[in-house]
């Protein structure tokens, strides 16, 4: 379960064309990872507020599970997908090997399983809306601009 973001932005491609071959890989890696961290943060913030990647509220917990959470003093509405915090805390950012971009998702199979269970229950945090994609691309462009000394 990974959310993937590829950078096909014309402005970003133009900036990359100006990089010399030797520092290009390091500069690109730093910019891609920086953009990926913004993407990860957007998922975490939105999820904690109880919204999926399309901007819809997560499906409610079952009555029994909601009662159990309430008895433990845990939040039940909106659904934040936080119980121990391990699943969301396990999210990592990885560079895509085949194109300019990143993937964000759980670092372990156990956490991927928990995520999958939530997705099958109507709670899918993985992905970005258009406005969020713009923020990720802007971070990439800012970081590359700093690397090149153009910002």
């Amino acid at each position: 379960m990974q959310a993937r973001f590829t950078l096909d932005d014309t402005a970003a491609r133009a900036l990359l064309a100006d990089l010399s071959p030797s520092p290009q890989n390091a500069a690109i890696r730093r910019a891609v990872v920086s953009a990926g961290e913004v993407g990860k943060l957007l998922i975490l913030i939105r999820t904690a507020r109880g919204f999926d990647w399309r901007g819809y509220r997560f499906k409610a917990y079952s009555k029994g599970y909601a009662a159990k959470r309430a008895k433990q003093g845990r939040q039940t509405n909106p659904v934040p997908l936080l119980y121990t915090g391990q699943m969301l805390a396990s999210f990592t950012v990885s560079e895509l090997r085949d194109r300019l971009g990143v993937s964000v998702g759980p670092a372990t199979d156990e956490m991927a399983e928990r995520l999958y269970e939530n997705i099958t229950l109507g709670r899918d945090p993985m992905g970005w809306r258009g406005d969020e994609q713009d923020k990720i691309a802007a971070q990439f462009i800012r970081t590359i601009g700093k690397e090149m000394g153009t910002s």
Side-chain angles (χ1 to χ4, degrees), residues 29-112:
R29 288 190 78 214
R30 285 189 293 273
V32 166
V33 169
S34 177
E37 290 296 334
V38 168
K40 175 182 161 182
L41 185 61
L42 290 169
I43 289 174
L44 297 178
I45 291 169
R46 179 181 5 91
T47 300
R49 292 179 178 160
F51 290 94
D52 71 10
W53 71 272
R54 294 171 301 254
Y56 298 113
R57 284 235 176 252
F58 288 133
K59 186 177 174 187
Y61 291 129
S62 69
K63 288 181 183 180
Y65 186 67
K68 175 184 172 183
R69 284 182 62 93
K71 188 175 183 178
Q72 295 172 336
R74 296 185 180 268
Q75 181 177 336
T76 61
N77 190 18
V79 172
L81 296 190
L82 293 172
Y83 189 74
T84 64
Q86 292 177 348
M87 181 185 73
L88 296 176
S90 80
F91 280 16
T92 59
V93 174
S94 304
E95 297 171 66
L96 298 178
R97 295 177 188 265
D98 58 342
R99 63 181 67 88
L100 183 61
V102 295
S103 66
V104 175
T108 67
D109 290 342
E110 178 187 356
M111 295 304 128

